[in-house]
Amino acid sequence: SCVDCDAGQYMGDEGAVNCLDCAPGTSQDTAGSTKCKACNVGQHQMLPRNISCADCGKGTYMSNTGAVNCLDCNPGTYEDEKRSTECNSCAPGTFQDEPGKHSCKECVKGEAATKNKSTACALCVPGKYADESGMEKCLDCDGGLLQPEEGQSSCYQTEEGRIVVGGGTSAVDVPEGSYTFGCVSNGGGCKDFKQCPQGWMGNEPANSTCTKC
């Protein structure tokens, strides 16, 4: 009598002397088989003569059948489940700079990520800020508030006698004989100035009032 091929092996021809091992990327769990089965999507098998395929782990995926190895998720993506056929995109406000990860990282304060699949967060430019982690976009400094540096988490008032220009990126001195307006507080955090009317003079440093001559 003839002997059945073991599980993990096959033979498709008659008159065989030996059975053949299932190749990597395939398996066979039944003895006496004439062929092996390709691993399903989301699975793989690195070794020959196996009775089953293994699930792709977290951070990896496989969209084809018969895979020997699973593929790492690309930077900007992640996968938090096993046996996946594709990876998920990092959402705005998050990023992933490494391959094969099962989660994304939040942007820190002073940075933001506006798009899906970000591999890095961008520093807030001067005149903008991000006061929380995981922000999708940087916020404009309120009128009269200043932030001349990039990557910052807040804006601040200028000292008396100065106004904020350039969309919150810089401050300039108020000319003599002038007063400030559009201020966050009296004399501080101001965004414009006007000349004092005739018979009035500006204060030193300039604030939001003039003094009668």
Side-chain angles (χ1 to χ4, degrees):
S1 64
C2 295
V3 179
D4 286 344
C5 295
D6 291 337
Q9 293 184 311
Y10 76 101
M11 177 45 62
D13 298 323
E14 295 179 353
V17 176
N18 295 300
C19 296
L20 300 177
D21 292 343
C22 291
T26 68
S27 68
Q28 181 52 261
D29 59 354
T30 303
S33 297
T34 59
K35 62 181 179 180
C36 299
K37 298 177 288 187
C39 293
N40 292 324
V41 293
Q43 294 187 311
H44 73 113
Q45 181 50 258
M46 299 173 58
L47 302 175
R49 196 172 179 173
N50 256 282
I51 63 172
S52 63
C53 296
D55 291 344
C56 294
K58 295 180 179 181
T60 67
Y61 74 103
M62 178 43 62
S63 56
N64 298 321
T65 58
V68 177
N69 293 298
C70 298
L71 300 177
D72 285 343
C73 293
N74 291 323
T77 68
Y78 74 99
E79 182 49 64
D80 57 356
E81 299 287 344
K82 295 181 179 180
R83 200 172 180 174
S84 295
T85 59
E86 62 182 357
C87 299
N88 302 306
S89 299
C90 291
T94 68
F95 74 104
Q96 182 50 260
D97 55 348
E98 299 178 90
K101 296 300 180 181
H102 58 81
S103 64
C104 299
K105 310 170 189 176
E106 283 192 336
C107 298
V108 298
K109 293 180 180 181
E111 299 181 1
T114 60
K115 298 178 180 180
N116 291 321
K117 291 188 178 181
S118 291
T119 58
C121 300
L123 294 172
C124 296
V125 299
K128 295 180 180 287
Y129 71 100
D131 59 350
E132 296 180 358
S133 58
M135 291 191 67
E136 298 180 15
K137 63 179 182 178
C138 299
L139 306 175
D140 293 329
C141 292
D142 291 336
L145 296 183
L146 174 68
Q147 185 45 262
E149 300 179 3
E150 65 179 6
Q152 300 301 308
S153 60
S154 64
C155 303
Y156 58 90
Q157 292 187 29
T158 59
E159 60 271 25
E160 286 189 346
R162 311 194 82 200
I163 62 166
V164 175
V165 295
T169 61
S170 58
V172 296
D173 293 331
V174 175
E176 291 184 7
S178 302
Y179 68 98
T180 57
F181 72 95
C183 303
V184 176
S185 61
N186 183 31
C190 303
K191 55 186 177 181
D192 211 344
F193 69 89
K194 290 181 180 179
Q195 285 188 325
C196 292
Q198 289 185 351
W200 296 76
M201 63 180 182
N203 296 304
E204 184 61 40
N207 58 22
S208 58
T209 63
C210 296
T211 301
K212 193 168 185 178
C213 298

